[in-house]
């Protein structure tokens, strides 16, 4: 049960962190962006991840 | 630090709740700058779940059970990406970008109370705290080998995150696929992607080297990426199978580079080395879209794969020779 909970919790986390590239066409439409700009926006969750990792060091 | 001070249960619960909250905030974000700021917060909130769930497994499983338990936990990344690829494009077609991102928010909201309740029982099995630090040997970071492994891993992160970021939009934009169809195919591609990590692990055990297979996979990935980049000019019909091959190949190195970092560092330094590896991978995944945005702006979408191939070539050079 612990393993299942850890697994699904991490799936939720991965989906939040890396889900944006799969809605890139709608992200472009939502903010009137180019593909390049939308891709850059998709990478920003990794910046947050990096800040958390560095803060935890 | 938060995990050490407050424990895995608190960290995971708070992390999931904050992730859901920030994903919900996307709805109110003003313009791309507001959305970008919220996405940074989403990443910051979601990050600790990985480390905390890893420690949860360490605490709850005995040494004999831990290998399998960790292996199962490691499948969360391809499963999470597969779930996102399958569900988010369909949700986005109905509810738009911010509506679709409420799906991972909902999953996080469902999981938060489950984590709070089901991981509440005190630890029973995890008795060994890990390697002793009393007589820690000299830092492996005084030698270039571990830096080269980190470097190779970062370089291989560029094609991995390029393919992950632009695969769907490539199928939609360059091949006229619908986003849900592209998402479904990319979700299915996560299965051989996950299997490739396992197979490379078995291969590395057999040849007695973690890094020789990494070098081989970097060469094959680079060749596939280069062909993918050239396919619109030479053979457009080859674009989709090449893209799928690149999806699988580009994610296959992860397990080996992590293992190699831990082995190169040695047991007393393995935790710190893997934390550094996580940070460097996050740096790679953060910088890749910025770099590729410049390529797309000037040259279009397909050339990003050729640039990624150059990073594979650099990784081949960076991988230290004759080390496990």
């Amino acid at each position: 049960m612990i393993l299942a909970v850890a697994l699904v919790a991490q799936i939720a986390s991965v989906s939040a962190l890396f889900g944006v590239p799969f809605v890139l066409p709608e992200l472009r439409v939502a903010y009137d962006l180019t593909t390049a700009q939308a891709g850059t926006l998709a990478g920003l969750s990794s910046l947050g991840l990096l800040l958390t990792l560095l803060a935890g060091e | 630090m938060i995990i050490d001070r407050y424990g895995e249960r608190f960290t995971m619960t708070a992390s999931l709740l904050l992730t859901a909250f920030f994903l919900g905030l996307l709805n109110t974000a003003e313009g791309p700058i507001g959305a970008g700021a919220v996405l940074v917060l989403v990443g910051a909130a979601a990050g600790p779940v990985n480390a905390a769930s890893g420690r949860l497994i360490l605490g709850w499983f005995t040494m004999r059970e831990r290998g399998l338990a960790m292996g199962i936990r490691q499948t969360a990344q391809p499963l999470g990406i597969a779930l996102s690829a399958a569900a988010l494009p369909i949700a986005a077609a109905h509810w738009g970008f911010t509506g679709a991102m409420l799906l991972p928010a909902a999953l996080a909201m469902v999981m938060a109370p489950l984590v709070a309740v089901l991981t509440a029982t005190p630890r029973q099995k995890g008795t060994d705290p890990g390697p002793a630090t009393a007589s820690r040997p000299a830092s492996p970071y005084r030698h270039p080998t571990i830096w080269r492994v980190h470097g190779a891993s970062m370089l291989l992160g560029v094609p991995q995150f390029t393919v992950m970021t632009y695969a769907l939009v490539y199928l939609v934009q360059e091949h006229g696929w619908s986003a849900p169809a592209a998402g479904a195919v990319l979700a299915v591609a996560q299965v051989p992607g996950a299997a490739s990590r396992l197979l490379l692990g078995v291969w590395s055990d057999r040849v007695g080297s973690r890094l020789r297979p990494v070098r081989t996979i970097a060469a094959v990935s680079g060749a596939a990426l280069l062909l993918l980049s050239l396919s619109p000019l030479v053979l457009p019909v080859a674009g989709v199978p090449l893209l799928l091959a690149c999806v699988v190949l580009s994610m296959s190195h992860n397990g080996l580079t992590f293992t190699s970092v831990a082995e190169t560092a040695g047991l007393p330094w393995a935790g710190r080395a893997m934390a550094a590896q996580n940070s460097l991978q996050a740096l790679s995944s953060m910088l890749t879209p910025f770099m590729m945005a410049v390529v797309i702006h000037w040259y279009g979408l397909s050339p990003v794969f050729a640039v990624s191939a150059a990073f594979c070539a650099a990784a081949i050079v960076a991988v230290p020779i004759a080390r496990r």
Side-chain angles (χ1 to χ4, degrees), chain B residues 86-109:
Chain B
L88 292 183
I90 297 170
H94 288 95
W95 307 313
F97 165 64
T98 54
M101 292 311 289
L102 290 177
L103 280 188
L107 186 57
M109 277 297 283

Side-chain angles (χ1 to χ4, degrees), chain B residues 135-158:
Chain B
S135 58
R136 181 180 274 194
S139 169
Y141 287 94
R142 292 181 184 173
H143 304 284
T145 308
I146 197 162
W147 291 106
R148 289 182 65 176
V149 181
H150 280 317
S153 180
M154 272 189 83
L155 289 165
L156 288 173
V158 173

Side-chain angles (χ1 to χ4, degrees), chain A residues 17-18 44-54, chain B residues 40 43-44 47-48 282 285:
Chain A
L17 276 167
F18 301 117
L44 287 177
S45 56
S46 293
L47 172 61
L49 171 64
L50 179 65
L51 293 175
T52 298
L53 288 170
L54 293 177
Chain B
V40 172
S285 67

Side-chain angles (χ1 to χ4, degrees), chain B residues 140-141 146 149-150 210 255-275 277 323-324:
Chain B
Y141 287 94
I146 197 162
V149 181
H150 280 317
R210 307 284 173 225
L256 286 188
T257 45
F258 262 89
T259 310
S260 180
V261 159
E263 289 175 346
T264 306
L267 209 53
W269 285 89
R272 186 159 282 266
M274 293 208 304
Q277 175 83 346
R323 289 294 300 237
R324 277 181 69 85

Side-chain angles (χ1 to χ4, degrees), chain B residues 23-95:
Chain B
L23 283 169
L25 269 190
L26 273 175
N27 231 347
T28 61
E30 292 275 333
I33 293 173
V38 173
L39 285 173
V40 172
L41 293 172
V42 168
V49 173
N50 184 32
S53 67
R55 273 198 26 168
L56 196 68
I57 303 295
L58 283 177
W60 274 86
F61 290 85
T62 63
M63 198 105 164
R64 284 185 181 181
E65 300 165 328
R66 227 177 262 160
L68 178 61
M70 279 291 191
I72 292 170
R73 190 192 73 104
Q74 289 293 343
T75 61
Q77 186 169 2
L79 282 174
I81 291 174
L83 181 71
S84 303
L88 292 183
I90 297 170
H94 288 95
W95 307 313

Side-chain angles (χ1 to χ4, degrees), chain B residues 34-304:
Chain B
V38 173
L39 285 173
V40 172
L41 293 172
V42 168
V49 173
N50 184 32
S53 67
R55 273 198 26 168
L56 196 68
I57 303 295
L58 283 177
W60 274 86
F61 290 85
T62 63
M63 198 105 164
R64 284 185 181 181
E65 300 165 328
R66 227 177 262 160
L68 178 61
M70 279 291 191
I72 292 170
R73 190 192 73 104
Q74 289 293 343
T75 61
Q77 186 169 2
L79 282 174
I81 291 174
L83 181 71
S84 303
L88 292 183
I90 297 170
H94 288 95
W95 307 313
F97 165 64
T98 54
M101 292 311 289
L102 290 177
L103 280 188
L107 186 57
M109 277 297 283
V110 168
M111 288 314 297
L114 289 176
V115 167
V117 172
L118 295 175
T119 62
T121 314
R123 295 174 183 183
Q124 295 167 1
K125 295 183 176 178
T127 49
D128 57 320
T133 54
S135 58
R136 181 180 274 194
S139 169
Y141 287 94
R142 292 181 184 173
H143 304 284
T145 308
I146 197 162
W147 291 106
R148 289 182 65 176
V149 181
H150 280 317
S153 180
M154 272 189 83
L155 289 165
L156 288 173
V158 173
Q160 182 183 356
F161 293 112
T162 299
V163 171
M164 196 172 83
T165 304
Y166 298 110
L168 184 133
V169 83
Y170 174 80
L171 290 172
V172 171
Q173 212 167 285
E174 308 291 315
H175 290 271
W177 287 37
S178 72
V185 167
L186 293 173
V188 172
Q190 299 304 311
V191 178
S196 73
R197 291 183 178 188
L198 294 175
L199 287 173
L200 273 184
V202 173
W203 180 21
S204 75
D205 285 340
R206 291 213 174 144
V207 299
S209 167
R210 307 284 173 225
L211 296 174
R212 212 183 321 155
V214 169
R215 210 163 30 238
T216 306
I217 213 74
V220 177
S221 290
L225 284 160
L226 201 56
L227 289 173
L228 174 60
S229 177
L230 294 172
S231 68
L233 303 171
V234 182
L235 190 62
V237 74
V240 174
L242 278 169
L243 177 77
L244 296 177
C246 290
V247 168
V248 174
L249 288 166
S250 65
M251 73 166 74
S252 60
H253 69 93
N254 270 71
L256 286 188
T257 45
F258 262 89
T259 310
S260 180
V261 159
E263 289 175 346
T264 306
L267 209 53
W269 285 89
R272 186 159 282 266
M274 293 208 304
Q277 175 83 346
N278 273 327
S279 298
L280 291 170
Q281 284 242 307
L283 182 66
S284 188
S285 67
M286 182 199 80
L287 293 177
T288 298
F290 283 92
M291 183 170 51
M292 294 307 171
V294 177
V295 178
I296 293 171
H297 180 76
W298 290 105
Y299 304 107
L301 189 54
S302 288
V304 299

